[in-house]
Amino acid sequence: MFLKSRILPLCFAAAAILLATPSQARDADSVFFESVAGTWKGPGEIVAGKYKGTKFVCNLEGDPTATKQSGISLDGTCRVGVFNQKMSAVITRKGKGYTGQFLDGAAGKGLDIVSGRISGNRAVMGINRKTLDGAMIARLHDPETMNVTISVKVGEQMVPVIGMTLKRTAGRVKTGLLR
């Protein structure tokens, strides 16, 4: 049902979305991004589909984009067993949403970020790869822990396929966001 080569990029894109840094303006999105900037590490697991039970670990670091728009440039690696995969992403605010790509985007072997919104300590991003649509929901549980769930649309339902928990290893810690 789900190919490992398509599901893992969704997971890594989710982490990429969460490591953005603030723009000059102090709007709600910038506050969220500031609270999750830095270096993160953590395990994840594919929870549905053909590769259900596959475990992985990611080491990710986000830095501000070189543009005037709020966004992220991400670099890092994720490991499945003995295999390491380089990860990269660029995500930029566009109007009230977000655009960007993970790896080389949906036209290549990655995926596209097609929408997004942030509310308090939670980010929801729309993701797409050709005919696969989905969403990433990330919640900053506390200043040191972020939970990420990636779901894909199957028929009319969103089915969770990846879950992961990232722990901060270095970087900024802002607590004003948590309630």
Side-chain angles (χ1 to χ4, degrees):
M1 181 169 148
F2 302 106
L3 294 175
K4 187 184 238 182
S5 63
R6 290 187 182 174
I7 298 301
L8 287 176
L10 294 175
C11 172
F12 307 133
I17 293 166
L18 298 174
L19 300 174
T21 58
S23 68
Q24 296 295 327
R26 295 287 301 156
D27 62 6
D29 290 10
S30 294
V31 171
F32 177 82
F33 289 142
E34 185 175 295
S35 71
V36 298
T39 304
W40 297 79
K41 180 179 181 175
E45 181 175 352
I46 298 173
V47 296
K50 182 177 179 180
Y51 297 100
K52 180 178 179 176
T54 300
K55 297 179 188 301
F56 55 89
V57 175
C58 295
N59 291 293
L60 305 165
E61 184 171 342
D63 291 314
T65 56
T67 67
K68 293 182 181 179
Q69 296 290 335
S70 177
I72 175 177
S73 175
L74 173 82
D75 285 304
T77 59
C78 291
R79 181 175 45 85
V80 177
V82 297
F83 300 101
N84 282 319
Q85 173 69 47
K86 180 167 174 33
M87 297 297 128
S88 65
V90 176
I91 300 167
T92 312
R93 185 183 343 211
K94 182 176 181 181
K96 293 184 179 183
Y98 288 86
T99 62
Q101 65 181 30
F102 170 72
L103 296 176
D104 54 357
K109 294 182 178 183
L111 58 86
D112 292 333
I113 305 302
V114 296
S115 64
R117 81 183 156 85
I118 295 170
S119 178
N121 64 349
R122 189 173 95 145
V124 179
M125 299 289 164
I127 52 180
N128 174 268
R129 176 170 171 73
K130 299 179 182 174
T131 60
L132 180 69
D133 289 314
M136 180 280 310
I137 300 172
R139 182 175 165 266
L140 193 59
H141 179 70
D142 62 47
E144 304 298 321
T145 309
M146 190 168 11
N147 296 315
V148 179
T149 302
I150 299 173
S151 301
V152 296
K153 192 168 187 176
V154 178
E156 295 299 314
Q157 294 185 324
M158 292 296 279
V159 177
V161 294
I162 294 174
M164 71 187 212
T165 300
L166 298 171
K167 294 284 188 178
R168 184 181 305 276
T169 60
R172 299 178 191 126
V173 178
K174 298 289 183 177
T175 59
L177 182 62
L178 299 172
R179 297 181 184 129

